[in-house]
Amino acid sequence: MIKRGAALRAAPLLIVLSSFRYGIIAILRYIAETLNQTYFQSEHLLFDPATPDHDAVNIVFAFPNTYTVGITSLGYQGVWANLATRSQINVSRWFTDAHEDLPRKIEILGFSFSWELDYVNILAALKKFDIPIDTCDRTDEHPLIFGGGPVLTANPEPFAAWFDIVLLGDGEELIGNFLNAYQEVRHASREIKLRHLAKLDGIYVPLLYEVTYESDDGAIASIQPIDSEIPSTIHKQTYKGNTLSASTVVTEKAAWESIFMVEVVRSCPEMCRFCLASYLTLPFRTASLESSLIPAIAKGLEVTKRLGLLGASITQHPEFDLLLDHLAQPQFDDVRLSLASVRTNTLTEKLARTLSTRDSRSVTIAIESGSERLREIINKKLHNDEIKQAAINAQAGGLKSLKLYGMAGVPMENDDDIDQTIEMLISLRKIAPKLKLTFGCSTFVPKSHTPLQWQGISTNAEKKMQYFRKKLLPKGIDFRPESYKDSIVQGLISRGDRRLTKLLRLACSYSDGDVPSDGSYKRAFKELRGQLPPLAWYVHEDWDVNQVLPWQHLRSALPVETLIKHRETSLAF
Ligand code: SF4
């Protein structure tokens, strides 16, 4: 206890400290307000927001990262515009460094979750809004928390305790169905709301499912709904229209400054055995050239001269050549065109020339490996000659650089496969000497809903990355590896179950709000030993195909039997 005399002596110091504190708070507020103004005032909206009704539902729609990152997400933009065009909804956007005016009482808080490690910012946001982290601790006084996006659609289980509702699949129709169903029970208790929403296609309420384990640190024994009123499986929703997404806002503050983005295709028909972008989002869909792409591009280019064509496999659009012809017209002369990665054997000289005359210097192709054998294992339908031809075409079309993506640690990979990749890259150096070559390399990580979901991450992958670096840099090939440590965390989250929730929170508590280091995860595993399986089981071990998967009750495009068949074909090589 402080004595009165000491307290009096300390008083001036306290006043100074407290003024200092309020000064800091005022400065932080000022910075936040300035950021809000610069961010939101720089936006060109490409839709007309509705005026909210007096009794509109107050929704805060959050992106758990900075404004610059969040506003560059086409998925986030689309859902926000979907909400903002409804007069029954009063939506405010929230990012970690800026937000719009927030309602006094939030009824629904939604997160768009597209990068695994953003879970740290979701935890921080829930604390900031003074909302209990775990859904079971929330009452009727708290908002409903929903989440959507690729991370949750792939495997929501490590985060199951934090979300009241997970929206699985494409947002186009799902958002409207969710809101309509919510209106039907808006004034009911939390329990009635959740039970009502859980009956809708594509809506997953984790709290209403019980998971049992063979032992505390063993595999999952079963996943069951808590009673017969709750569906035993939830099917991911697939939008079937031929108008895909396009930017709803253009801003110079986006990570790709002032870009107008248009989605040319959704999913990919190639079905490389490791590929989440293909398997999770099947079937392959294409935007109509005449009724969707051309009008969308015309509208976007009224406010900017930078155009991005997006999609996992855009050159496989059946009318891609016509789209190129369209963009080759003189009225697009001052447009800067950017493309997502293109399929290697569709990188023609015409495409390269269109890109270079539209201010693009480089193009990206994903080769995965320079080994024909390994590409067959993963079902990458590509020949070495096609890779070489792509480099020749890129150079002939006037591009300055070629980025190639590959992987290390692919199941069944051997040292010879790695050497073949190195030889391939060196041969490209000779074939297309004017091109700057960059090799971006990631570690193979098993992804849910793909045929290689049962295979673990190779413990040798990091060494292979170092070998690539040693061999490629002296040959003048830029080498850009993805962090092996990040891949381990991705693998953990990718194959995680509900027992990870505690671990993720613990790891965060060791890192003081920052993204936990690998040491924090190891420490958390040590602390929780006996309460969940070890890290190696989640990340490195090959799983038995008969094992109950954490996402077994969440159905994607293909049945598990088909994935097993595809896996068998791969591993039979
Ligand atoms: S071609 Fe690319 S996007 Fe398509 S399945 Fe293969 S890796 Fe995925």
Side-chain angles (χ1 to χ4, degrees):
M1 195 170 86
I2 299 176
K3 288 189 183 152
R4 191 164 177 262
L8 286 175
R9 278 196 301 279
L13 178 66
L14 288 175
I15 290 167
V16 170
L17 285 176
S18 126
S19 320
F20 179 69
R21 192 168 146 253
Y22 284 117
I24 295 279
I25 291 172
I27 290 169
L28 289 175
R29 271 208 194 114
Y30 174 76
I31 291 172
E33 276 163 20
T34 311
L35 274 180
N36 283 352
Q37 278 168 16
T38 30
Y39 284 148
F40 298 117
Q41 283 175 4
S42 307
E43 295 181 332
H44 292 279
L45 294 196
L46 295 165
F47 71 102
D48 295 320
T51 304
D53 299 338
H54 72 281
D55 61 344
V57 177
N58 286 327
I59 297 184
V60 171
F61 186 47
F63 192 94
N65 208 309
T66 60
Y67 174 88
T68 298
V69 175
I71 208 65
T72 315
S73 159
L74 197 52
Y76 180 79
Q77 286 191 15
V79 174
W80 165 60
N82 189 328
L83 295 168
T85 43
R86 295 166 191 269
S87 60
Q88 320 90 305
I89 303 297
N90 175 31
V91 61
S92 314
R93 286 174 292 164
W94 186 93
F95 305 90
T96 54
D97 59 346
H99 59 78
E100 293 177 305
D101 286 344
L102 299 176
R104 202 176 47 79
K105 189 162 171 53
I106 303 171
E107 206 168 321
I108 298 177
L109 170 61
F111 289 94
S112 174
F113 195 178
S114 54
W115 188 52
E116 289 93 339
L117 298 181
D118 277 347
Y119 80 83
V120 177
N121 296 330
I122 292 178
L123 283 178
L126 290 172
K127 278 189 198 147
K128 200 171 201 143
F129 284 111
D130 208 15
I131 296 167
I133 302 288
D134 290 331
T135 166
C136 59
D137 293 331
R138 294 176 197 143
T139 68
D140 287 347
E141 297 309 306
H142 295 114
L144 280 191
I145 310 299
F146 82 84
V151 173
L152 292 173
T153 301
N155 177 21
E157 289 307 281
F159 317 103
W162 307 340
F163 288 97
D164 299 315
I165 290 156
V166 176
L167 304 181
L168 296 174
D170 298 330
E172 278 90 348
E173 281 150 16
L174 191 50
I175 293 288
N177 295 344
F178 163 53
L179 295 173
N180 292 341
Y182 176 78
Q183 291 285 6
E184 289 162 11
V185 284
R186 183 176 178 190
H187 302 293
S189 69
R190 165 173 281 267
E191 187 188 345
I192 290 176
K193 278 181 191 146
L194 292 180
R195 282 184 161 274
H196 182 70
L197 291 166
K199 290 175 193 151
L200 228 74
D201 283 343
I203 295 195
Y204 173 43
V205 179
L207 192 64
L208 302 180
Y209 294 80
E210 190 186 3
V211 183
T212 59
Y213 304 95
E214 288 172 1
S215 63
D216 287 348
D217 56 0
I220 296 173
S222 69
I223 306 171
Q224 298 292 339
I226 57 169
D227 60 46
S228 58
E229 282 185 13
I230 306 301
S232 56
T233 52
I234 303 101
H235 293 265
K236 183 183 83 65
Q237 294 301 286
T238 304
Y239 166 69
K240 301 231 169 75
N242 62 1
T243 298
L244 300 180
S245 303
S247 288
T248 56
V249 54
V250 170
T251 169
E252 65 193 42
K253 305 293 177 196
W256 297 328
E257 209 176 298
S258 299
I259 196 164
F260 174 77
M261 299 174 284
V262 62
E263 189 184 18
V264 178
V265 299
R266 194 170 291 179
S267 194
C268 173
E270 292 297 310
M271 299 167 79
C272 299
R273 303 308 189 212
F274 61 87
C275 184
L276 189 69
S278 173
Y279 276 88
L280 185 67
T281 56
L282 286 169
F284 179 57
R285 285 149 287 163
T286 58
S288 151
L289 182 67
E290 287 302 325
S291 66
S292 169
L293 290 174
I294 289 178
I297 290 169
K299 189 174 176 191
L301 294 184
E302 283 172 13
V303 298
T304 183
K305 292 292 171 203
R306 190 169 177 198
L307 173 65
L309 303 181
L310 302 195
S313 186
I314 52 172
T315 47
Q316 271 161 299
H317 189 290
E319 293 177 308
F320 188 74
D321 232 33
L322 291 177
L323 178 59
L324 280 188
D325 291 340
H326 179 73
L327 295 173
Q329 296 177 88
Q331 73 259 35
F332 298 108
D333 276 353
D334 55 352
V335 170
R336 184 172 168 203
L337 178 65
S338 307
L339 252 61
S341 133
V342 301
R343 207 167 156 238
T344 307
N345 53 5
T346 55
L347 176 49
T348 57
E349 189 178 329
K350 176 179 173 182
L351 173 57
R353 195 163 302 287
T354 308
L355 283 169
S356 62
T357 53
R358 293 289 173 268
D359 206 22
S360 254
R361 295 176 162 262
S362 99
V363 71
T364 303
I365 53 175
I367 60 165
E368 315 312 344
S369 168
S371 154
E372 299 262 6
R373 185 192 79 94
L374 205 68
R375 288 201 303 271
E376 277 190 56
I377 289 174
I378 58 175
N379 196 36
K380 186 96 191 176
K381 298 173 253 340
L382 180 65
H383 295 292
N384 283 350
D385 289 346
E386 292 172 312
I387 300 175
K388 289 175 184 165
Q389 190 60 49
I392 293 167
N393 293 346
Q395 180 173 277
L399 290 171
K400 299 284 175 250
S401 85
L402 180 64
K403 291 181 189 153
L404 302 103
Y405 275 123
M407 279 192 299
V410 175
M412 318 256 297
E413 178 184 80
N414 58 36
D415 292 347
D416 192 40
D417 296 316
I418 297 288
D419 282 329
Q420 285 185 43
T421 303
I422 292 165
E423 277 164 31
M424 157 64 66
L425 291 165
I426 293 172
S427 75
L428 297 184
R429 170 87 289 149
K430 290 179 189 144
I431 291 168
K434 289 190 198 148
L435 284 181
K436 176 179 185 284
L437 292 184
T438 302
F439 184 53
C441 189
S442 59
T443 299
F444 161 79
V445 173
K447 297 287 184 183
S448 55
H449 306 282
T450 69
L452 295 181
Q453 63 187 349
W454 292 278
Q455 309 310 120
I457 295 179
S458 161
T459 48
N460 283 327
E462 196 171 21
K463 269 195 204 143
K464 289 176 179 174
M465 297 271 202
Q466 286 160 0
Y467 185 66
F468 273 132
R469 179 188 295 279
K470 192 172 139 202
K471 295 287 180 183
L472 294 176
L473 288 184
K475 300 290 179 190
I477 297 164
D478 192 13
F479 180 60
R480 301 275 170 90
E482 272 185 21
S483 153
Y484 176 74
K485 286 172 184 151
D486 283 357
S487 301
I488 296 295
V489 180
Q490 278 175 19
L492 178 65
I493 289 173
S494 174
R495 297 208 299 185
D497 55 48
R498 292 183 178 196
R499 289 168 293 186
L500 276 193
T501 309
K502 215 172 169 184
L503 181 119
L504 296 178
R505 277 183 75 177
L506 197 57
C508 272
S509 73
Y510 298 147
S511 66
D512 211 17
D514 277 343
V515 172
S517 63
D518 57 324
S520 298
Y521 287 107
K522 282 185 188 145
R523 189 174 154 201
F525 266 106
K526 206 166 163 192
E527 177 113 3
L528 297 175
R529 186 176 292 154
Q531 297 178 43
L532 78 174
L535 175 72
W537 182 83
Y538 283 112
V539 170
H540 295 299
E541 284 183 23
D542 291 343
W543 285 0
D544 189 308
V545 289
N546 297 315
Q547 189 174 311
V548 178
L549 295 164
W551 49 90
Q552 192 100 337
H553 53 314
L554 311 175
R555 298 296 158 85
S556 196
L558 296 178
V560 73
E561 293 75 20
T562 308
L563 299 183
I564 291 174
K565 271 190 203 145
H566 289 185
R567 173 184 174 272
E568 281 167 1
T569 326
S570 277
L571 302 187
F573 274 93

